[in-house]
Amino acid sequence: PEQSLTWLGFATFLTVLWGTQLTVVTNVADFCRYARSRPHMYAGILGGTIVGAFVASWVGAYAAVATGSLNPFVAVAELGGNRALLALLLVAVVLQTTAVNLMNLYSGGLSLVNAIPSLGRFWSTAILGAVAVLLSALPEVIEDAEEWMTHLGNVATPLAGVIIADYAILKRTHIDVLALFDPNDRYRFLRGVNAAALAAVATAVVVYYLVPHSWVKAAWGFGIALVAYPALARLQAAAFPRTQAALEPAESDLEDMSRPEPEVRLEAAP
């Protein structure tokens, strides 16, 4: 509170907000998979993100100023004993918690089952759900939520920088879609590991922790990864020529659609 009207407070909040938004960067493709065109995709993702963040921030800020409490739910509960209002508040809390946890379990389960297909969709989701329940029982996780989000942003922000650099700068928004699902095609890198991407993320993470909060940590993490990855990827291609094809843009987004589809078992949402 004592830093609420200072640059340090603004920079810290911006890093937390930025890191929170970018923790779902790996879900973006799933969010827009039903879009009919790229303009529709851009409008949906940007519109939903900007409007959602603005409404949530504005309502939260207004409620904090009007009630004098940083927790709007606690503030509303303390305003009076109106049972209808309290019931509505309870429904809102349940819906919010359910929606957020469903999204987290969905994306986490999908990632885990694609990393370890033998688990199956049910068990991968169940395992993550059990881990999430155990973590939520730790007071440190709840009481230091802002700090945890800062740490998550430490990884998510550089990861987003690498993804954007790879897609927009190196591949120029053109990807060989079928090759993404073939473990032996151009995106194999080094036995399935993109060492340049890991090095870029690691470098950005170190810088993220070194710079002070007043420098907006998220901007440095994102920017360092965005710049470092193309350079490291080209060095990797020079040392291992077989990774060069992974850096080149495909002739079209659906290059070589006439070739047989690879026999790869994938877990996807219904």
Side-chain angles (χ1 to χ4, degrees), residues 21-224:
Q21 293 290 333
L22 291 181
T23 54
V24 296
V25 66
T26 55
N27 297 358
V28 170
D30 198 48
F31 291 161
C32 60
R33 61 186 171 130
Y34 293 117
R36 297 181 179 181
S37 64
R38 288 195 178 188
H40 287 177
M41 176 188 69
Y42 295 147
I45 294 296
L46 293 177
T49 301
I50 294 173
V51 173
F54 174 78
V55 171
S57 300
W58 188 87
V59 171
Y62 179 83
V65 173
T67 62
S69 174
L70 296 178
N71 191 327
F73 296 110
V74 174
V76 172
E78 294 176 349
L79 287 178
N82 190 310
R83 293 185 178 181
L85 180 61
L86 293 178
L88 181 62
L89 177 63
L90 177 62
V91 171
V93 172
V94 171
L95 288 177
Q96 180 196 40
T97 305
T98 302
V100 170
N101 287 325
L102 281 177
M103 185 182 74
N104 291 336
L105 284 176
Y106 167 79
S107 58
L110 187 61
S111 298
L112 183 60
V113 77
N114 278 283
I116 312 176
S118 60
L119 283 178
R121 188 63 191 272
F122 174 80
W123 286 111
S124 64
T125 304
I127 290 172
L128 283 177
V131 172
V133 170
L134 292 176
L135 288 176
S136 65
L138 299 176
E140 295 81 4
V141 176
I142 304 301
E143 295 172 359
D144 300 323
E146 180 179 324
E147 183 177 351
W148 280 106
M149 291 310 302
T150 302
H151 290 312
L152 286 175
N154 172 27
V155 178
T157 305
L159 180 61
V162 168
I163 292 174
I164 292 176
D166 182 67
Y167 179 67
I169 298 176
L170 295 179
K171 295 184 175 62
R172 300 175 188 173
T173 72
H174 288 82
I175 293 178
D176 184 350
V177 177
L178 292 183
L180 290 172
F181 302 101
D182 189 340
N184 299 311
D185 214 311
R186 64 161 73 184
Y187 301 124
R188 174 69 176 173
F189 288 101
L190 302 174
R191 296 184 179 181
V193 177
N194 187 349
L198 293 178
V201 171
T203 302
V205 165
V206 172
V207 174
Y208 184 101
Y209 276 119
L210 289 178
V211 300
H213 283 285
S214 59
W215 288 19
V216 187
K217 286 176 172 286
W220 281 86
F222 180 85
I224 292 296

